[in-house]
Amino acid sequence: MLEMTRETFEELVAEALDRIPPELTRLMDNVAVFVEDEPPAEDPELLGLYEGTPLTERGEWYAGVLPDRITIYRGPTLRMCESREDVVTETEVTVVHEIAHHFGIDDARLHALGYG
């Protein structure tokens, strides 16, 4: 397994977020991004998870709710990558994938776009 401190991994996630075009980040609403070491035990290879209500499904009822949550998992990412460059690439793909869910894009479309 590739070694990388949590702090360094968090910096890579922040850098991936910084590379999202500003015209998209301005549209993101009520979402927070977290880094966790490991995913839930039932899905140990999960790299990222979006939990919330996509922008495309929010209606007039959407008010006063907790922020959507995007979690990026360090452990599985480091286990699948062989170099720091691999981690940078995989982290960027995972961040884009989860943000796409916030915008209502499903897994089938993401896989077709190369973010699977």
Side-chain angles (χ1 to χ4, degrees):
M1 181 170 115
L2 185 67
E3 293 294 323
M4 180 178 288
T5 66
R6 182 173 177 140
E7 180 179 85
T8 300
F9 188 79
E10 287 174 348
E11 289 171 8
L12 294 179
V13 170
E15 290 169 9
L17 287 166
D18 288 344
R19 284 190 286 279
I20 302 296
E23 54 272 15
L24 290 180
T25 57
R26 280 193 293 273
L27 297 173
M28 292 173 63
D29 182 45
N30 201 31
V31 62
V33 178
F34 299 91
V35 171
E36 297 289 341
D37 288 329
E38 294 296 333
E42 62 271 7
D43 201 353
E45 296 179 15
L46 187 66
L47 302 179
L49 180 64
Y50 169 76
E51 299 170 285
T53 304
L55 295 175
T56 55
E57 296 178 17
R58 295 179 185 179
E60 294 176 13
W61 59 268
Y62 188 85
V65 299
L66 292 173
D68 291 5
R69 180 181 177 102
I70 291 174
T71 307
I72 308 299
Y73 297 107
R74 183 174 74 100
T77 303
L78 296 180
R79 286 190 290 276
M80 74 176 288
C81 293
E82 295 181 9
S83 68
R84 185 180 196 284
E85 292 76 27
D86 290 346
V87 175
V88 169
T89 300
E90 192 56 53
T91 300
E92 194 166 299
V93 167
T94 303
V95 166
V96 169
H97 183 106
E98 301 311 327
I99 287 173
H101 286 318
H102 177 68
F103 284 100
I105 301 171
D106 66 16
D107 280 331
R109 181 69 178 136
L110 285 167
H111 286 276
L113 294 170
Y115 290 98

